[in-house]
Amino acid sequence: MRGVATVPSYVVMQPTTLCNLDCAYCYLPMRAADRRMPVPVAEAVAASVNVWAAAGRFSVVWHGGEPLAAGRDHLAALLAPFGPEVEHHVQTNATLIDDAWCDFFAEHRMRVSVSVDGPRERNGDRVTRGGRPAYDRIMRGVTALRRRGLPFSALAVVSRPGPGLATELYDYFLDLGCDVLGVNIEETEGVNTRDNAHPPADVTAFWAELVAAWRRDPRIHLREVEWSLRYAAAVLDGVADEVLPRQLDPIPTIAHDGSVTVLSPELAGFTDPRYGDFSSGNVLESPLTEILAGAAGTPWVGEYLEGVEACRSRCPYFGFCGGGHAANRYFELGRFDGTETEHCRNSKIRLLEGVLEHARDHQSPAA
Ligand code: SF4
């Protein structure tokens, strides 16, 4: 894997900066302000995306703020320029989902992913702007999806990984009815400055326990565990070098104002005296294809690529990880050419160790 690809596999769109919740661990800097994406921004992005989608599978991920806070009419106007081949996904806190939104998802064949951290008592960080628990409102939205038979994914943030939690979480999500689950250990990034360092043994035990819970009843696609097992299988088959893509996916995030940030959506909306606003261009001024063709020349991206090469030469987990996320390096280390972060320890190194710990604990006596 070398350099940044010029054609992404998906783009992230920010229809509004606003979120109707105020979660304690949120990284978004402008979530109290309603800055909506004008339709010409979507038209400019669609001009490139429609070409890519005609050549193969391609997704647009609507991510906020809270994307549904943009309103159905405005979101429909932003979707309109995209051709029928484009797959649409939305990451939502679910609090605004009702029958009318379910009709909208069905009409636009939009795949829904709900942010929820487990049972009520695990959602203490998910609160309204008035500081009240959001759990009942989240569940109303999930109930609407279930009533209407719309499949959905779930994304859970774990702030304090430790013994016992993984089984509880997995059982909860089995009952919830999601078909895909992603588990993120809380990250120190953006405006969230909470510490994300945890005892290594606790994090490894959390992942090992999650694998065990999943293996008992693997009805849900468990994102992190499936990644790790795919890598472990590739190592056993002697094809570990083929797991990573040949080039980094640029994953362009299009902010509400049309500015394009590659590699890490979490950098959008921030500025730094050394790196400027992290943007590689604006779709209102240049085609997205042109911006991505030149993205590797963005000064911080070059520094990040040096960090990836440092990971490649020093880290035994590189074949699985591919060098970590740009935003975690920036927000934890203050620059892009470092290597280990608390994030990569929690979510790459300990994850793989947890899967191996589970495998060691469950190997047959004859093995
Ligand atoms: S695990 Fe950390 S140090 Fe290793 S390749 Fe990934 S980001 Fe780099």
Side-chain angles (χ1 to χ4, degrees), residues 304 307-308 310-325 328-329 338-345 347-350:
Y304 171 69
V308 171
C311 279
R312 187 197 306 276
S313 61
R314 286 180 215 158
C315 179
Y317 297 85
F318 182 82
F320 170 59
C321 165
H325 299 296
N328 298 110
R329 285 164 190 234
T339 54
E340 268 195 52
T341 60
E342 291 299 343
H343 169 73
C344 80
R345 291 184 194 109
S347 301
K348 305 285 183 179
I349 296 173
R350 310 288 177 236

Side-chain angles (χ1 to χ4, degrees), residues 63 76 102 174-175 177 187 218 284 329 353:
H63 202 299
C102 288
L174 277 175
D175 284 349
E187 298 168 39
L284 295 177
R329 285 164 190 234
E353 288 177 350

